[in-house]
Structures are given as C-alpha cells and as structure tokens.
Amino acid sequence: MPLAQFRIFSPDEFDVYLNSSVFSRTVKIIQNHHTWRPGYSHLSSQRGEMYWLESMRSVHINDRKWSDIGQHITTFPSGNIALCRPIDLVPAGIRGANTGGICIEHFGNFDLGADQMTDAHRNCIIRLNALLCKKFKLQPNASTIVYHHWYDQRGQRFSEEKINSGLVGNEQKSCPGTGFFGGNTITAAQNNFFPLITEAMKDQATTPVVQPKMKKVKASALNVRSGPDKNSPVLRVVPKETELAVYQERDGWSKISNTANEWVFSNLLI
Ligand SMILES: [Zn+2]
C-alpha cells in the first residue's frame, strides 16, 4: 500500500475536513500522546513540521518495523493539525487501546520543566479532542480519552488507584507528560483536561450568529482567559478602555470571540 500523504490543516480547516469526511471504522477511544523527542527546540525554518512528520515516519518504519507512521494525527506548537495515518486504519499507539482508537501525537515534551505549551497548541489540542468527540459521538471521560501512561507494555490498563497514586511512574513512560494539562493521572485529566473539552464541544454546538454587544474595559488591566473561570489560563491582558465585543455571557463571564475560547470577568466591563 502507498504511504500516507501528510496534510497540514489549521484547526478551522481540520473542522471542515472532519465534518465532510465519512469513516468506516468505529472510534471509541482517543489516545493523547506527546512526541517527547523531537520537541519544541527541534523545530526550525529548515526543519519544519513536514520535515519532522517524515522523520517520525522513517523511525516508525525503519526502527519499529511498522507499515507507516503510527499516529493518525500530529499537533504542533503553531496550532496546526497534521493528518498522518489514514483514520480508517488501526493505529500503532497504545497496545490495548488501538482497536477502536484514534492516536494523536502532540509535538513536544510536556514533562514538567520541559517544553512550555504555546497557547495556540493548547487551544488546538482542546479543540481537536472536542471535534473528534463530536464526530464519533463520545463524551469526554477516562474511558474515551486516554493517556499512554495508563497502560503497561503488554496492553493492560493499570488500576485507577495506581495511576492516581503516581506509582505507575517507574513502569511506564510518562506520555503525554507529567505537565500535560496539570498532569498525567486520571484525576488530573478529569480536573484539568476533560472540562475544557466539554466546554469546547458546547461552544461549537452553539456557535452564535448574534450581533455582539460592545463593552469597554473598566479595570486598569483585564485578563483574557481560555475558559469562563478564574482558574483558566490567561491568554493575554488588555488595558483599560479597550473596546471588546461580547458574544456570549455565562455565570458572570463574557466571551469576547465568536470563534476562539476567550473569556473575561463581566464585572470588569461597562
Ligand atoms: Zn505515547
């Protein structure tokens, strides 16, 4: 069979691609991995995204003896999403979770103290998981969205207690990283990752076609966050008097973009 043709999309383009595609395989599990190496520092103008896709494929074919690149999708610090192995083929991702699985590799090393995930990458990872959940009618939880770290080399999943206690550490790789959305345990995923995906699924379901309300920043500086709560990361800070378009309001928070997840505290607007 000919090798897969790599295609690189923006998240919006990937959304269109996914919605217009029909797949014959039933997908029940979304695997999240990090590449670990190569990581952020390996990307350069000479060695860009396409270079590293080919490089990963070459390692998978020559060293691991697989028929093609192992993962279906690779995400990049730029926020780009690369389609790799055809989605209708079973991936080579996690033994024990490949049947019915989609394998995503996030380009970078997300162990604590290693690569600092860019905002574009973070938003792309959340959105991609949300798009796949919607496409394959999955609710984000620890059975549908899984980490490599939760499985042993033979394809057995560790017990939830063992994963959450951190005792898996010495037996299995840390993938997708000890710093991936607050950690690689099930508890960390439930607290920090799944809620963002659930939120992103809602936003896409109700993409508003409304006229935004124009408001002004009354605080001296206002944090723009990736979700409607004070624990969501700050994407940027806008100064007093800035005019913002509010597209949606929820629980005292205002959404200031109709495409991206950008929220500000409503009390600081007039
Ligand atoms: Zn992995």
Side-chain angles (χ1 to χ4, degrees), residues 46-131:
Q46 287 81 34
R47 296 185 165 188
E49 294 171 352
M50 203 50 101
Y51 171 89
W52 286 111
L53 291 173
E54 289 295 356
S55 168
M56 284 187 275
R57 164 147 71 194
S58 147
V59 169
H60 290 178
I61 291 177
N62 297 317
D63 299 358
R64 302 193 193 165
K65 309 298 175 197
W66 296 342
S67 58
D68 201 338
I69 191 163
Q71 70 264 34
H72 294 112
I73 296 168
T74 307
T75 69
F76 287 102
S78 62
N80 282 343
I81 297 173
L83 193 59
C84 304
R85 176 185 283 246
I87 290 188
D88 273 335
L89 297 183
V90 172
I94 302 173
R95 182 171 289 179
N98 285 327
T99 303
I102 276 215
C103 175
I104 313 170
E105 288 278 356
H106 305 301
F107 192 97
N109 175 355
F110 301 113
D111 280 337
L112 283 171
D115 292 335
Q116 183 68 45
M117 190 184 282
T118 64
D119 285 342
H121 203 177
R122 185 186 151 79
N123 290 334
C124 141
I125 291 171
I126 295 165
R127 183 153 176 214
L128 173 61
N129 276 273
L131 290 172

Coordinates of all heavy atoms in Angstrom, one line a residue, residues 46-131:
Q46 N 14.5 25.4 8.7 CA 15.0 24.3 7.8 C 14.3 23.0 8.1 O 14.0 22.2 7.3 CB 16.5 24.1 8.0 CG 17.4 25.2 7.4 CD 17.5 26.4 8.3 OE1 17.5 26.2 9.6 NE2 17.6 27.6 7.8
R47 N 14.0 22.8 9.4 CA 13.4 21.5 9.8 C 12.0 21.9 10.4 O 11.9 21.9 11.6 CB 14.3 20.8 10.8 CG 15.6 20.4 10.1 CD 16.5 19.6 11.0 NE 17.5 19.0 10.2 CZ 18.4 18.1 10.6 NH1 18.3 17.6 11.9 NH2 19.3 17.5 9.8
G48 N 11.1 22.1 9.5 CA 9.7 22.5 9.9 C 8.8 21.2 10.2 O 9.3 20.1 10.3
E49 N 7.5 21.5 10.1 CA 6.5 20.5 10.5 C 6.6 19.3 9.6 O 6.6 18.1 10.0 CB 5.1 21.1 10.5 CG 5.0 22.1 11.7 CD 3.8 23.0 11.7 OE1 3.0 22.9 10.7 OE2 3.6 23.7 12.6
M50 N 6.7 19.5 8.3 CA 6.7 18.4 7.3 C 8.0 17.6 7.5 O 7.9 16.4 7.4 CB 6.6 19.0 5.9 CG 6.1 18.1 4.8 SD 4.5 17.2 5.3 CE 3.3 18.1 4.4
Y51 N 9.1 18.3 7.7 CA 10.3 17.5 7.9 C 10.2 16.5 9.1 O 10.6 15.3 9.0 CB 11.5 18.5 8.2 CG 12.8 17.8 8.7 CD1 13.7 17.4 7.7 CD2 13.0 17.5 10.0 CE1 14.9 16.8 8.1 CE2 14.1 16.8 10.4 CZ 15.1 16.5 9.5 OH 16.2 15.8 9.9
W52 N 9.6 17.0 10.2 CA 9.5 16.1 11.4 C 8.5 15.0 11.2 O 8.6 13.9 11.7 CB 9.3 16.9 12.6 CG 10.6 17.6 13.0 CD1 10.8 19.0 13.0 CD2 11.8 17.0 13.5 NE1 12.1 19.2 13.4 CE2 12.7 18.0 13.7 CE3 12.2 15.7 13.7 CZ2 14.0 17.8 14.1 CZ3 13.5 15.4 14.1 CH2 14.4 16.5 14.3
L53 N 7.4 15.3 10.4 CA 6.5 14.2 10.1 C 7.2 13.1 9.3 O 7.1 11.9 9.7 CB 5.3 14.7 9.3 CG 4.3 15.7 10.0 CD1 3.3 16.3 9.0 CD2 3.6 15.0 11.1
E54 N 8.0 13.5 8.3 CA 8.7 12.4 7.5 C 9.7 11.7 8.4 O 9.9 10.5 8.3 CB 9.4 13.1 6.3 CG 8.5 13.6 5.2 CD 7.7 12.4 4.5 OE1 8.0 11.2 4.8 OE2 6.9 12.7 3.7
S55 N 10.3 12.5 9.3 CA 11.3 11.9 10.2 C 10.7 10.9 11.1 O 11.3 9.8 11.3 CB 12.0 13.1 10.9 OG 12.8 12.5 12.0
M56 N 9.6 11.2 11.7 CA 8.9 10.3 12.6 C 8.5 9.0 11.8 O 8.6 7.9 12.3 CB 7.7 10.9 13.3 CG 8.0 11.9 14.4 SD 6.6 12.5 15.3 CE 6.1 13.9 14.3
R57 N 8.0 9.2 10.6 CA 7.6 8.1 9.8 C 8.8 7.2 9.5 O 8.6 5.9 9.6 CB 7.0 8.6 8.5 CG 6.9 7.4 7.4 CD 5.7 7.5 6.5 NE 5.9 8.6 5.6 CZ 4.8 9.0 4.9 NH1 3.6 8.5 5.0 NH2 5.0 10.0 4.0
S58 N 9.9 7.8 9.2 CA 11.0 7.0 8.9 C 11.5 6.1 10.1 O 11.8 5.0 10.0 CB 12.1 7.9 8.4 OG 13.4 7.5 8.8
V59 N 11.4 6.7 11.3 CA 11.7 5.9 12.5 C 10.7 4.8 12.7 O 11.1 3.7 13.1 CB 11.8 6.9 13.8 CG1 11.8 6.1 15.1 CG2 12.9 7.9 13.7
H60 N 9.4 5.1 12.5 CA 8.4 4.1 12.7 C 8.6 2.9 11.7 O 8.4 1.8 12.1 CB 7.0 4.7 12.6 CG 6.7 5.6 13.7 ND1 5.5 6.3 13.8 CD2 7.3 6.0 14.8 CE1 5.4 7.1 14.9 NE2 6.6 6.9 15.5
I61 N 8.9 3.2 10.5 CA 9.1 2.2 9.5 C 10.4 1.4 9.7 O 10.4 0.2 9.7 CB 9.0 2.8 8.1 CG1 7.5 3.3 7.8 CG2 9.4 1.7 7.0 CD1 7.3 3.9 6.5
N62 N 11.5 2.2 9.8 CA 12.8 1.5 9.8 C 13.2 0.9 11.2 O 13.7 -0.2 11.2 CB 13.9 2.5 9.4 CG 13.6 3.0 8.0 OD1 13.3 2.2 7.1 ND2 13.7 4.3 7.7
D63 N 12.9 1.6 12.3 CA 13.3 1.1 13.6 C 12.2 0.2 14.2 O 12.5 -0.8 14.8 CB 13.6 2.3 14.5 CG 14.7 3.1 14.0 OD1 15.3 2.8 12.9 OD2 15.1 4.1 14.7
R64 N 11.0 0.6 14.1 CA 9.9 -0.1 14.8 C 9.3 -1.2 13.8 O 8.4 -1.9 14.3 CB 8.9 0.8 15.3 CG 9.5 1.8 16.3 CD 8.5 2.5 17.1 NE 9.1 3.6 17.8 CZ 8.5 4.6 18.4 NH1 7.2 4.7 18.4 NH2 9.2 5.6 19.0
K65 N 9.6 -1.1 12.5 CA 9.1 -2.1 11.6 C 7.6 -2.0 11.4 O 6.9 -3.0 11.1 CB 9.5 -3.5 11.9 CG 11.0 -3.7 12.2 CD 11.9 -3.4 11.0 CE 13.3 -3.4 11.3 NZ 14.2 -2.7 10.3
W66 N 7.0 -0.8 11.5 CA 5.6 -0.6 11.3 C 5.5 -0.3 9.8 O 6.4 0.1 9.1 CB 5.0 0.6 12.1 CG 5.1 0.3 13.6 CD1 5.3 -0.9 14.2 CD2 5.0 1.3 14.6 NE1 5.3 -0.7 15.6 CE2 5.1 0.6 15.8 CE3 4.8 2.7 14.6 CZ2 5.1 1.3 17.1 CZ3 4.8 3.3 15.8 CH2 4.9 2.6 17.1
S67 N 4.2 -0.5 9.3 CA 4.0 -0.3 7.8 C 4.0 1.2 7.4 O 4.3 1.5 6.3 CB 2.6 -0.9 7.4 OG 1.6 -0.3 8.2
D68 N 3.7 2.1 8.4 CA 3.7 3.5 8.1 C 3.8 4.2 9.4 O 4.0 3.6 10.5 CB 2.3 3.8 7.4 CG 2.4 5.1 6.6 OD1 3.2 6.0 6.9 OD2 1.5 5.3 5.7
I69 N 3.6 5.6 9.4 CA 3.7 6.3 10.6 C 2.6 5.8 11.6 O 1.5 5.4 11.1 CB 3.5 7.8 10.3 CG1 3.8 8.7 11.6 CG2 2.1 8.2 9.8 CD1 4.0 10.1 11.3
G70 N 2.9 5.8 12.9 CA 1.9 5.1 13.8 C 0.7 5.9 14.1 O -0.4 5.4 14.3
Q71 N 0.9 7.3 14.2 CA -0.3 8.1 14.6 C -1.1 8.6 13.5 O -0.7 8.8 12.4 CB 0.2 9.3 15.5 CG 0.9 10.4 14.7 CD 2.5 10.2 14.8 OE1 3.0 9.1 14.8 NE2 3.2 11.4 14.8
H72 N -2.4 8.8 13.8 CA -3.3 9.4 12.8 C -3.1 10.9 12.6 O -3.3 11.4 11.6 CB -4.8 9.2 13.2 CG -5.2 7.7 13.2 ND1 -5.5 7.1 14.4 CD2 -5.4 6.9 12.2 CE1 -5.8 5.8 14.1 NE2 -5.7 5.7 12.8
I73 N -2.8 11.5 13.8 CA -2.8 13.0 13.8 C -1.6 13.5 14.6 O -1.3 12.9 15.6 CB -4.1 13.5 14.4 CG1 -5.4 13.1 13.6 CG2 -4.1 15.0 14.6 CD1 -6.7 13.3 14.2
T74 N -1.0 14.6 14.2 CA 0.1 15.2 14.9 C -0.3 16.7 15.1 O -0.8 17.3 14.2 CB 1.4 15.1 14.2 OG1 1.7 13.8 13.8 CG2 2.5 15.7 15.1
T75 N -0.2 17.2 16.3 CA -0.5 18.6 16.5 C 0.9 19.3 16.8 O 1.8 18.7 17.3 CB -1.4 18.9 17.8 OG1 -0.7 18.5 19.0 CG2 -2.7 18.1 17.7
F76 N 0.9 20.6 16.5 CA 2.2 21.4 16.5 C 2.0 22.6 17.4 O 0.9 23.1 17.6 CB 2.6 21.8 15.1 CG 3.2 20.6 14.3 CD1 2.4 20.0 13.4 CD2 4.4 20.1 14.6 CE1 2.9 18.9 12.6 CE2 5.0 19.0 13.8 CZ 4.2 18.4 12.9
P77 N 3.2 23.2 17.9 CA 3.1 24.4 18.6 C 2.5 25.6 17.9 O 1.9 26.5 18.5 CB 4.6 24.7 18.9 CG 5.4 23.5 18.7 CD 4.5 22.6 17.7
S78 N 2.5 25.5 16.6 CA 1.8 26.6 15.8 C 0.3 26.5 15.9 O -0.4 27.5 15.5 CB 2.2 26.4 14.3 OG 1.7 25.2 13.8
G79 N -0.2 25.4 16.4 CA -1.6 25.2 16.4 C -2.1 24.4 15.2 O -3.3 24.1 15.0
N80 N -1.2 24.0 14.3 CA -1.5 23.2 13.1 C -1.8 21.8 13.5 O -1.3 21.3 14.5 CB -0.4 23.3 12.1 CG -0.4 24.6 11.3 OD1 -1.4 25.3 11.3 ND2 0.7 24.9 10.7
I81 N -2.7 21.2 12.7 CA -3.1 19.8 12.9 C -2.7 19.0 11.6 O -3.2 19.4 10.5 CB -4.6 19.7 13.1 CG1 -5.0 20.4 14.4 CG2 -5.0 18.2 13.2 CD1 -6.5 20.5 14.7
A82 N -1.8 18.0 11.8 CA -1.4 17.2 10.6 C -2.1 15.9 10.6 O -2.1 15.2 11.6 CB 0.1 17.0 10.6
L83 N -2.7 15.6 9.5 CA -3.3 14.3 9.3 C -2.2 13.3 8.8 O -1.5 13.7 7.8 CB -4.4 14.4 8.2 CG -5.4 13.2 8.1 CD1 -6.1 13.0 9.4 CD2 -6.4 13.5 6.9
C84 N -2.0 12.2 9.4 CA -0.9 11.3 9.1 C -1.5 10.0 8.6 O -1.9 9.9 7.5 CB 0.0 11.1 10.3 SG 0.6 12.7 11.0
R85 N -1.5 8.9 9.5 CA -2.0 7.6 9.1 C -3.5 7.8 8.8 O -4.2 8.5 9.5 CB -1.8 6.7 10.2 CG -2.4 5.3 10.0 CD -2.2 4.4 11.3 NE -0.9 3.9 11.4 CZ -0.6 2.6 11.3 NH1 -1.5 1.7 11.2 NH2 0.7 2.2 11.5
P86 N -4.0 7.1 7.7 CA -5.5 7.3 7.4 C -6.3 6.8 8.6 O -6.0 5.8 9.3 CB -5.7 6.3 6.3 CG -4.4 6.2 5.6 CD -3.3 6.3 6.7
I87 N -7.3 7.6 8.9 CA -8.1 7.3 10.1 C -8.8 5.9 10.1 O -9.1 5.3 11.1 CB -9.1 8.5 10.3 CG1 -8.3 9.7 10.8 CG2 -10.2 8.2 11.4 CD1 -9.0 10.9 11.2
D88 N -9.1 5.4 8.9 CA -9.7 4.1 8.8 C -8.7 3.0 9.1 O -9.2 1.8 9.1 CB -10.4 3.9 7.4 CG -11.8 4.5 7.4 OD1 -12.4 4.6 8.5 OD2 -12.3 4.9 6.3
L89 N -7.5 3.2 9.3 CA -6.5 2.2 9.7 C -6.3 2.2 11.2 O -6.3 3.3 11.8 CB -5.2 2.4 9.0 CG -5.2 2.3 7.5 CD1 -3.7 2.4 7.0 CD2 -5.7 1.0 7.0
V90 N -6.2 1.0 11.8 CA -5.9 0.9 13.2 C -4.5 1.5 13.5 O -3.6 1.3 12.7 CB -5.9 -0.6 13.6 CG1 -5.5 -0.8 15.1 CG2 -7.4 -1.1 13.5
P91 N -4.4 2.3 14.5 CA -3.1 3.0 14.8 C -2.1 2.1 15.5 O -2.5 1.0 16.0 CB -3.5 4.1 15.8 CG -4.6 3.5 16.6 CD -5.4 2.7 15.6
A92 N -0.9 2.5 15.5 CA 0.1 1.9 16.4 C 0.4 2.9 17.5 O 1.3 3.7 17.3 CB 1.4 1.5 15.6
G93 N -0.4 2.9 18.5 CA -0.3 3.9 19.5 C -0.1 3.3 20.9 O 1.0 3.4 21.5
I94 N -1.1 2.7 21.4 CA -1.1 2.1 22.8 C -1.6 0.6 22.6 O -2.7 0.4 22.3 CB -2.0 2.8 23.8 CG1 -1.7 4.3 23.9 CG2 -2.0 2.1 25.1 CD1 -2.7 5.1 24.7
R95 N -0.7 -0.3 22.9 CA -1.1 -1.7 22.9 C -2.3 -1.8 24.0 O -2.1 -1.3 25.1 CB 0.0 -2.6 23.4 CG -0.3 -4.0 23.3 CD 0.9 -4.9 23.5 NE 1.8 -4.9 22.3 CZ 2.9 -5.6 22.2 NH1 3.3 -6.3 23.3 NH2 3.6 -5.5 21.2
G96 N -3.4 -2.4 23.5 CA -4.5 -2.5 24.4 C -5.6 -1.4 24.2 O -6.7 -1.5 24.6
A97 N -5.2 -0.4 23.4 CA -6.2 0.7 23.1 C -6.2 1.1 21.7 O -6.6 2.2 21.3 CB -5.9 1.9 24.0
N98 N -5.6 0.2 20.8 CA -5.5 0.5 19.4 C -6.8 0.2 18.6 O -7.2 0.9 17.7 CB -4.3 -0.1 18.7 CG -3.0 0.6 19.1 OD1 -3.0 1.8 19.3 ND2 -2.0 -0.2 19.3
T99 N -7.4 -0.9 19.0 CA -8.7 -1.3 18.3 C -9.7 -0.2 18.7 O -9.9 0.0 19.9 CB -9.2 -2.7 18.8 OG1 -8.1 -3.6 18.5 CG2 -10.4 -3.1 18.1
G100 N -10.3 0.4 17.8 CA -11.3 1.5 18.1 C -10.6 2.8 18.5 O -11.3 3.7 19.0
G101 N -9.3 2.8 18.4 CA -8.6 4.0 18.8 C -8.2 5.0 17.7 O -8.0 4.6 16.6
I102 N -8.1 6.2 18.1 CA -7.5 7.3 17.3 C -6.3 7.7 18.0 O -6.3 8.0 19.2 CB -8.5 8.4 17.0 CG1 -9.4 8.1 15.9 CG2 -7.7 9.7 16.7 CD1 -9.8 9.3 15.0
C103 N -5.1 7.8 17.4 CA -3.9 8.1 18.0 C -3.4 9.5 17.6 O -3.3 9.8 16.5 CB -2.8 7.1 17.6 SG -1.2 7.5 18.2
I104 N -3.3 10.4 18.6 CA -2.8 11.7 18.4 C -1.5 11.9 19.1 O -1.4 11.6 20.3 CB -3.8 12.8 19.0 CG1 -5.2 12.6 18.7 CG2 -3.4 14.2 18.6 CD1 -6.2 13.5 19.4
E105 N -0.5 12.4 18.4 CA 0.8 12.8 19.0 C 0.9 14.3 19.0 O 0.8 15.0 18.0 CB 1.9 12.3 18.1 CG 2.1 10.8 18.1 CD 3.0 10.3 19.3 OE1 3.4 11.1 20.1 OE2 3.1 9.0 19.5
H106 N 1.1 14.8 20.2 CA 1.3 16.3 20.4 C 2.8 16.5 20.3 O 3.5 15.9 21.2 CB 0.7 16.8 21.7 CG -0.8 16.4 21.8 ND1 -1.7 16.8 20.9 CD2 -1.5 15.6 22.7 CE1 -2.9 16.3 21.2 NE2 -2.8 15.6 22.3
F107 N 3.2 17.3 19.4 CA 4.6 17.5 19.2 C 5.2 18.4 20.3 O 4.9 19.5 20.5 CB 4.8 18.3 17.8 CG 6.3 18.3 17.3 CD1 6.7 17.4 16.4 CD2 7.2 19.2 17.8 CE1 8.0 17.4 15.9 CE2 8.5 19.2 17.4 CZ 8.9 18.3 16.4
G108 N 6.1 17.7 21.1 CA 6.7 18.5 22.2 C 7.0 17.5 23.4 O 6.6 16.3 23.3
N109 N 7.6 18.0 24.4 CA 7.9 17.3 25.6 C 7.2 18.0 26.7 O 7.6 19.0 27.2 CB 9.4 17.2 25.8 CG 9.8 16.6 27.1 OD1 8.9 16.2 27.9 ND2 11.1 16.4 27.4
F110 N 6.1 17.4 27.2 CA 5.3 18.0 28.2 C 5.5 17.5 29.6 O 4.6 17.6 30.4 CB 3.8 18.0 27.7 CG 3.6 18.7 26.4 CD1 3.3 18.1 25.3 CD2 4.0 20.1 26.3 CE1 3.2 18.7 24.0 CE2 3.9 20.8 25.1 CZ 3.5 20.1 24.0
D111 N 6.6 16.9 29.8 CA 7.0 16.6 31.2 C 7.3 17.9 31.9 O 7.7 18.9 31.3 CB 8.3 15.7 31.2 CG 7.9 14.2 30.9 OD1 6.8 13.8 31.1 OD2 8.8 13.5 30.5
L112 N 7.0 17.9 33.2 CA 7.2 19.1 34.0 C 8.7 19.6 33.8 O 9.6 18.9 33.8 CB 7.1 18.8 35.5 CG 5.6 18.7 35.9 CD1 5.6 18.2 37.4 CD2 4.9 20.0 35.8
G113 N 8.8 20.9 33.6 CA 10.1 21.5 33.4 C 10.6 21.5 32.0 O 11.7 22.0 31.7
A114 N 9.9 20.8 31.1 CA 10.4 20.7 29.7 C 9.7 21.8 28.8 O 9.7 22.9 29.3 CB 10.2 19.3 29.2
D115 N 9.1 21.4 27.7 CA 8.5 22.5 26.8 C 7.3 23.1 27.5 O 6.5 22.5 28.1 CB 8.1 21.8 25.5 CG 9.2 21.4 24.6 OD1 10.3 21.9 24.8 OD2 9.0 20.5 23.8
Q116 N 7.2 24.5 27.3 CA 6.1 25.3 27.8 C 5.1 25.3 26.6 O 5.4 26.0 25.6 CB 6.6 26.7 28.1 CG 5.6 27.6 28.7 CD 5.1 27.1 30.1 OE1 6.0 26.8 30.9 NE2 3.8 27.1 30.3
M117 N 4.0 24.7 26.8 CA 3.0 24.6 25.7 C 2.5 26.0 25.3 O 2.1 26.8 26.1 CB 1.8 23.7 26.1 CG 0.8 23.3 25.0 SD -0.6 22.4 25.7 CE 0.1 20.8 25.9
T118 N 2.5 26.2 24.0 CA 2.1 27.6 23.5 C 0.5 27.6 23.6 O -0.1 26.6 23.6 CB 2.4 27.8 22.0 OG1 1.7 26.8 21.2 CG2 3.9 27.6 21.7
D119 N 0.0 28.8 23.7 CA -1.5 29.0 23.7 C -2.1 28.4 22.5 O -3.2 27.7 22.5 CB -1.9 30.4 23.8 CG -1.6 31.0 25.2 OD1 -1.5 30.2 26.2 OD2 -1.5 32.2 25.4
A120 N -1.5 28.6 21.3 CA -2.1 28.1 20.1 C -2.1 26.5 20.1 O -3.1 25.9 19.7 CB -1.2 28.5 18.9
H121 N -1.1 25.9 20.7 CA -1.0 24.5 20.8 C -2.1 24.0 21.7 O -2.8 23.0 21.4 CB 0.4 24.0 21.2 CG 0.7 22.6 20.9 ND1 1.9 22.1 21.1 CD2 0.0 21.7 20.2 CE1 1.9 20.8 20.7 NE2 0.8 20.6 20.1
R122 N -2.2 24.6 22.9 CA -3.2 24.3 23.9 C -4.6 24.3 23.3 O -5.4 23.4 23.5 CB -3.0 25.3 25.0 CG -3.8 25.1 26.2 CD -3.6 26.2 27.2 NE -4.8 26.4 27.9 CZ -5.1 25.6 29.0 NH1 -4.2 24.7 29.4 NH2 -6.2 25.7 29.6
N123 N -4.9 25.4 22.7 CA -6.3 25.6 22.1 C -6.5 24.5 21.0 O -7.6 24.0 20.9 CB -6.5 27.0 21.5 CG -6.5 28.0 22.6 OD1 -6.9 27.7 23.8 ND2 -6.1 29.3 22.3
C124 N -5.5 24.2 20.2 CA -5.6 23.2 19.2 C -5.9 21.8 19.8 O -6.7 21.1 19.3 CB -4.4 23.3 18.3 SG -3.8 21.8 17.7
I125 N -5.2 21.5 20.8 CA -5.3 20.2 21.5 C -6.8 20.0 22.0 O -7.4 19.0 21.9 CB -4.3 20.0 22.6 CG1 -2.9 19.8 21.9 CG2 -4.6 18.8 23.4 CD1 -1.7 19.9 22.9
I126 N -7.2 21.1 22.7 CA -8.6 21.0 23.3 C -9.6 20.9 22.1 O -10.5 20.1 22.2 CB -8.9 22.3 24.1 CG1 -7.9 22.4 25.3 CG2 -10.3 22.4 24.5 CD1 -7.9 23.8 26.0
R127 N -9.4 21.8 21.1 CA -10.4 21.8 20.0 C -10.4 20.4 19.3 O -11.5 19.9 18.9 CB -10.1 22.9 19.1 CG -11.2 23.0 18.0 CD -11.3 24.4 17.5 NE -12.3 24.5 16.4 CZ -12.2 25.3 15.4 NH1 -11.2 26.2 15.3 NH2 -13.0 25.2 14.4
L128 N -9.2 19.9 19.0 CA -9.1 18.6 18.3 C -9.9 17.5 19.0 O -10.6 16.8 18.4 CB -7.7 18.3 18.1 CG -7.4 16.9 17.5 CD1 -8.0 16.8 16.1 CD2 -5.9 16.7 17.4
N129 N -9.6 17.4 20.3 CA -10.3 16.4 21.1 C -11.8 16.6 21.1 O -12.6 15.7 21.0 CB -9.8 16.4 22.6 CG -8.5 15.5 22.7 OD1 -8.5 14.3 22.9 ND2 -7.3 16.2 22.6
A130 N -12.2 17.9 21.2 CA -13.7 18.2 21.1 C -14.3 17.8 19.8 O -15.3 17.2 19.7 CB -13.9 19.7 21.4
L131 N -13.6 18.1 18.7 CA -14.1 17.8 17.3 C -14.2 16.3 17.2 O -15.2 15.8 16.6 CB -13.1 18.4 16.3 CG -13.1 19.9 16.1 CD1 -12.0 20.3 15.1 CD2 -14.4 20.4 15.6

